[in-house]
Amino acid sequence: MNYSPDFSVVLDNWPVLARGLWVTIQIWLPSIALGLIGGFLISQARLSSRRWLSIPSLVYVELFRDTPVLIQLIWFFYAFPILIGVQLTPFTAALLGLTLNTTAYSAEIFRGGIKSIHRGQMEGAKAIGMTHAQAMRRVILPQVVKRMLPAFTNRMIEVAKMSSLASVISVHELMYQGRLLSSTYYRPFEILTAVAFIYFVLIYPGTFLAGRLEKRLARSS
Amino acid sequence: MDYSWDFGPVIARFDMLAIGFLNTIKIAIVSILLGVVVGLVLVLMRLSPRKWLSWPAAIFIEFYRNTPPIVHFFWFFYALPVLLSVSLDPYVAAVLALSTQSGAFYAEVFRGGIVSIERGQWEGARALGMTHAALMRRIIVPQAISRMVPPFIERSFELLKTTALASTLAYADLLYQAMMVNAETFRPLEVYTTIALMYLVLLVTASQLARLAEARLTAYQ
Amino acid sequence: MQKPILEIKGLHKRFGDHHVLRGIDFSVAAGERIAIIGGSGSGKSTFLRCMNFMETLSEGEIWLDGKRIGTERNGQVTYPERQLCAVRERVGMVFQQFNLFPHMTVLQNVMEGLVTVKGMAREQAREIALQELDKVGLSEKVDAWPGRLSGGQQQRVAIARALSMKPEILLFDEPTSSLDPELVGEVLRVINHLAEEGRTMLLVTHELGFAYHFATKVIFLADGVFHEVGTPDEVLKNPRQARTQEFLRRFGEFAF
């Protein structure tokens, strides 16, 4: 091993990586936020007693959970535009793919959480005259959210990792910039290692937080 | 939506997709097996009372769990060869990325199973005069295994999906073969929809098989 | 006075800053039945658990058959695994929470020590296990999973498991404390039966009435030291120490 690493190439190109990181955050956070909303709606359909709601939502969830996310991104970028007759930018396709993916996973988190709340809670709320929506908002969800916090934090971590796949459909996020720099300067070791570190710094606090939340939850219950 | 679907060109090149399909299965199985070996080594190090063994293992595991898989693929394919001045072919680099990454997760799965066994079990075995090795082999590991099975299966399922990233290194897996077929037929909608369904079949079958295995392995509980 | 089987000299145990046992000297001779009583947090379970090295000693020596356990090197005492295993083979323990192995049947639980620790042939181990289970009245449950048994039955299996090793001393760590009241009797009857056989036993318990009839010697442990030691009559009926009297007053409802 007589290779001498030279990390100055990383420092010199710091603004490029920072721009990439900014794009990463721009796909990451919106797809989490939108995915959570979508996930809640789908979970309601999944739990519905109407089969025309519960079956399609089940199919949707399984489709997204049982195919690789990279295929989903590629499909939304290359295949979907043909279907709708409108070309999508890489960014839009990535955001769409990641949002729909997050929706599917969040739906399962919500569903598991809601089902884990004892039936007596819903009955108790209805017994004092609450509507289904009121019981959900005032009684069930506050309990679910607390219980599901570690799972949601884990999902955030997963989505942050998934966002790096957008580089494959040439979204100019962190991984894309890293690949570009490493082929431009032919310093793959330094640049890819630096990129890995940036991701680590971005993601590790989430893992740490999820672990803490899990421990606290285990203690309180 | 007046697009007229035509699967003819895809079906004509289905043999290419079949090769990709088999390669995907091959790389998944090889990586799971190697990943188990990596995971066992890591968990033994991680649980060791010697800090010079447990710390590197902990850092390795945390680093892998908190960085995106695509970074590992590129790192093994582009960065490692520079460091070692050897060249790795895509298959080897992809297997290295997949097995080290799943190894890091498996190590946590194994550790979780072992530490979840109640203290009373350790004490009950010790009080009988068992050596550490005997109590591990006879009492702790047999009980831990049944608790490890569900998260182990979940991780392997994730690995199976992650194999799609091997295509980014030009390994001839299902996604890569699809890109080749697409380049010849210019039918992205049909090609990518077809392979999405193939992944779906593969993953659903795998999860059904896993569920059967799980039911048998966790029978006594 | 008979020669002691087990001797403890100058035992101290600390958990971090918490000094639980503060200098204990103690010995057990063959045939003795010793009841250890005391309030919660008095260190009585910790004391018992030091005897088979379930807890590591902070200070002190344990001697078995006139030989000191542990290896001294450069002033540091280490406890090699094979020495500890040898002690535990001869000093059996029954836990508050039973600690049966849930992945083994009742019979397999009792055979486990014989096969794995003593290296006995399965056939022979099976025979011994069946005898021990018969003694505790569980012949009909040999093929059951521990999880299917009542607490009292589980504890009897745990006693059979300890007995199967033919221990010279048996340690009972609050064996009835996690049982429903109606199940306590069946376990105490088994322990009583062992007393009639003349076995050497140490019992940490809250069942003072049982301790009175069972023990040849009673120890009242408080603040990590032996506050009062004597016959059951001395300690439980006519305690000299104010601390013992107060403890007994609070448990005043038992009848001897």
Side-chain angles (χ1 to χ4, degrees):
Chain A
M1 227 161 53
N2 41 21
Y3 179 75
S4 54
D6 176 9
F7 277 91
S8 65
V9 63
V10 174
L11 297 175
D12 293 346
N13 290 287
W14 176 244
V16 180
L17 292 175
R19 264 207 312 278
L21 181 61
W22 176 233
V23 177
T24 291
I25 291 169
Q26 281 177 305
I27 2 175
W28 177 36
L29 294 182
S31 45
I32 285 282
L34 296 172
L36 280 186
I37 298 167
F40 177 69
L41 297 176
I42 296 286
S43 74
Q44 293 302 295
R46 273 288 263 122
L47 290 165
S48 165
S49 52
R50 301 185 189 89
R51 304 188 81 183
W52 60 270
L53 278 173
S54 66
I55 292 176
S57 57
L58 169 73
V59 171
Y60 168 81
V61 168
E62 290 306 319
L63 263 178
F64 276 89
R65 284 176 8 128
D66 294 350
T67 49
V69 63
L70 182 56
I71 305 296
Q72 293 159 21
L73 295 188
I74 286 178
W75 194 87
F76 278 105
F77 186 56
Y78 293 106
F80 186 58
I82 295 171
L83 206 58
I84 58 170
V86 182
Q87 186 52 50
L88 298 179
T89 64
F91 183 84
T92 314
L95 193 60
L96 189 61
L98 287 180
T99 300
L100 294 177
N101 182 284
T102 309
T103 295
Y105 279 93
S106 313
E108 282 305 278
I109 297 174
F110 275 117
R111 188 177 72 96
I114 291 168
K115 279 185 75 177
S116 77
I117 303 294
H118 193 263
R119 209 182 51 188
Q121 291 295 313
M122 188 49 112
E123 287 177 353
K126 286 196 172 155
I128 58 168
M130 284 192 189
T131 63
H132 183 88
Q134 282 172 329
M136 199 45 111
R137 189 162 48 85
R138 301 283 309 159
V139 180
I140 308 293
L141 276 183
Q143 300 182 54
V144 172
V145 167
K146 193 177 142 222
R147 208 174 287 191
M148 297 289 93
L149 224 44
F152 285 132
T153 316
N154 278 327
R155 201 38 24 214
M156 280 188 78
I157 297 163
E158 288 307 312
V159 178
K161 291 197 231 169
M162 279 180 204
S163 72
S164 64
L165 298 181
S167 64
V168 176
I169 54 173
S170 54
V171 175
H172 294 196
E173 47 66 80
L174 181 56
M175 185 65 201
Y176 181 88
Q177 303 290 23
R179 286 166 69 177
L180 200 68
L181 287 178
S182 86
S183 59
T184 310
Y185 294 95
Y186 201 66
R187 282 278 175 188
F189 171 72
E190 291 83 346
I191 289 160
L192 290 173
T193 304
V195 166
F197 261 99
I198 298 171
Y199 273 115
F200 183 81
V201 170
L202 185 70
I203 292 167
Y204 186 73
T207 308
F208 184 76
L209 186 70
R212 274 300 181 80
L213 287 171
E214 250 162 66
K215 274 206 194 98
R216 220 169 70 192
L217 208 66
R219 263 209 304 278
S220 73
S221 59
Chain B
M1 285 233 281
D2 44 13
Y3 179 77
S4 60
W5 294 73
D6 180 8
F7 280 96
V10 180
I11 291 164
R13 287 165 185 78
F14 196 76
D15 55 332
M16 284 177 72
L17 296 184
I19 290 168
F21 190 74
L22 293 176
N23 280 340
T24 288
I25 294 174
K26 179 176 105 179
I27 201 169
I29 290 173
V30 171
S31 305
I32 287 172
L33 295 177
L34 276 175
V36 168
V37 176
V38 173
L40 285 175
V41 172
L42 283 174
V43 76
L44 287 176
M45 287 171 68
R46 182 79 177 76
L47 290 174
S48 161
R50 295 185 190 87
K51 285 221 163 65
W52 58 271
L53 280 172
S54 67
W55 272 84
I59 290 170
F60 183 92
I61 290 168
E62 283 309 309
F63 195 76
Y64 266 92
R65 279 163 29 108
N66 291 287
T67 45
I70 193 168
V71 179
H72 311 151
F73 278 83
F74 278 79
W75 198 89
F76 274 107
F77 191 58
Y78 294 105
L80 187 68
V82 171
L83 204 61
L84 302 179
S85 42
V86 293
S87 70
L88 292 179
D89 82 295
Y91 174 72
V92 174
V95 166
L96 279 174
L98 284 168
S99 56
T100 46
Q101 186 213 351
S102 57
F105 280 100
Y106 287 154
E108 283 299 279
V109 169
F110 299 154
R111 191 172 72 99
I114 287 169
V115 301
S116 76
I117 304 298
E118 300 72 19
R119 210 178 63 163
Q121 291 295 308
W122 300 75
E123 292 188 346
R126 263 187 221 133
L128 281 177
M130 285 194 197
T131 59
H132 183 77
L135 92 90
M136 272 301 201
R137 185 170 49 83
R138 300 281 309 163
I139 309 299
I140 304 301
V141 170
Q143 293 185 66
I145 282 178
S146 60
R147 295 187 198 185
M148 291 170 191
V149 169
F152 178 84
I153 286 173
E154 202 183 304
R155 256 303 125 196
S156 306
F157 194 73
E158 288 304 311
L159 179 141
L160 188 47
K161 288 194 261 179
T162 310
T163 58
L165 300 192
S167 64
T168 59
L169 308 184
Y171 170 69
D173 77 328
L174 182 52
L175 177 54
Y176 183 80
Q177 293 292 86
M179 290 168 165
M180 295 297 107
V181 173
N182 183 43
E184 285 178 30
T185 61
F186 304 107
R187 285 268 165 199
L189 182 57
E190 289 83 351
V191 173
Y192 292 126
T193 304
T194 304
I195 65 152
L197 291 173
M198 289 171 79
Y199 272 111
L200 190 68
V201 168
L202 176 64
L203 285 153
V204 169
T205 311
S207 72
Q208 291 306 319
L209 287 176
R211 211 163 288 171
L212 278 177
E214 188 179 330
R216 296 196 65 176
L217 284 165
T218 56
Y220 87 83
Q221 283 178 327
Chain C
M1 179 82 190
Q2 242 182 315
K3 225 178 78 189
I5 308 176
L6 187 104
E7 264 187 291
I8 290 178
K9 298 176 184 170
L11 169 64
H12 284 261
K13 176 66 187 177
R14 291 179 197 86
F15 291 106
D17 291 336
H18 190 38
H19 199 164
V20 183
L21 299 177
R22 300 160 177 257
I24 289 179
D25 295 291
F26 171 74
S27 68
V28 196
E32 274 194 297
R33 292 187 298 280
I34 301 170
I36 301 155
I37 59 170
S40 57
S42 60
K44 54 190 193 303
S45 278
T46 307
F47 170 60
L48 195 76
R49 289 161 55 83
C50 283
M51 273 182 252
N52 66 342
F53 292 92
M54 284 292 113
E55 306 287 349
T56 53
L57 321 180
S58 304
E59 263 174 61
E61 301 172 3
I62 296 188
W63 296 63
L64 193 64
D65 279 342
K67 261 191 279 178
R68 184 173 174 194
I69 312 298
T71 309
E72 197 167 338
R73 197 182 298 152
N74 313 330
Q76 281 278 354
V77 187
T78 57
Y79 297 97
E81 186 178 38
R82 69 189 149 72
Q83 277 191 34
L84 298 190
C85 291
V87 173
R88 290 165 182 160
E89 221 185 302
R90 298 173 56 188
V91 182
M93 184 172 233
V94 173
F95 298 87
Q96 185 179 343
Q97 298 291 342
F98 333 130
N99 296 348
L100 294 180
F101 308 132
H103 61 306
M104 299 179 180
T105 64
V106 164
L107 182 65
Q108 287 166 340
N109 261 279
V110 181
M111 287 169 62
E112 183 60 24
L114 298 173
V115 174
T116 306
V117 178
K118 290 201 189 286
M120 197 178 277
R122 298 197 72 82
E123 264 317 299
Q124 199 188 347
R126 194 182 139 83
E127 217 160 281
I128 294 175
L130 287 172
Q131 280 168 16
E132 298 297 348
L133 283 166
D134 186 43
K135 254 191 239 168
V136 299
L138 286 171
S139 292
E140 271 147 44
K141 297 288 183 186
V142 291
D143 292 321
W145 296 105
R148 301 279 155 134
L149 302 183
S150 73
Q153 291 171 329
Q154 291 194 47
Q155 193 59 297
R156 280 145 67 199
V157 176
I159 293 173
R161 183 173 74 179
L163 285 177
S164 71
M165 302 294 285
K166 304 264 180 293
E168 290 154 62
I169 301 177
L170 256 176
L171 310 174
F172 289 90
D173 186 6
E174 306 198 27
T176 56
S177 293
S178 57
L179 297 178
D180 292 336
E182 74 271 21
L183 301 176
V184 169
E186 61 185 76
V187 172
L188 292 184
R189 267 196 297 282
V190 170
I191 298 175
N192 227 345
H193 182 69
L194 298 175
E196 284 160 15
E197 289 180 355
R199 287 175 188 269
T200 313
M201 296 191 274
L202 274 79
L203 171 72
V204 168
T205 189
H206 289 296
E207 305 277 339
L208 298 185
F210 181 77
Y212 180 77
H213 292 292
F214 159 86
T216 57
K217 182 155 87 181
V218 176
I219 296 170
F220 175 63
L221 196 76
D223 296 330
V225 292
F226 286 0
H227 236 73
E228 192 155 353
V229 182
T231 64
D233 272 319
E234 287 166 352
V235 177
L236 293 171
K237 287 220 160 147
N238 308 298
R240 285 182 308 253
Q241 305 283 341
R243 190 73 188 268
T244 321
Q245 289 163 4
E246 195 205 319
F247 173 76
L248 291 172
R249 244 196 321 277
R250 273 190 286 126
F251 274 85
E253 302 199 4
F254 71 91
F256 295 125

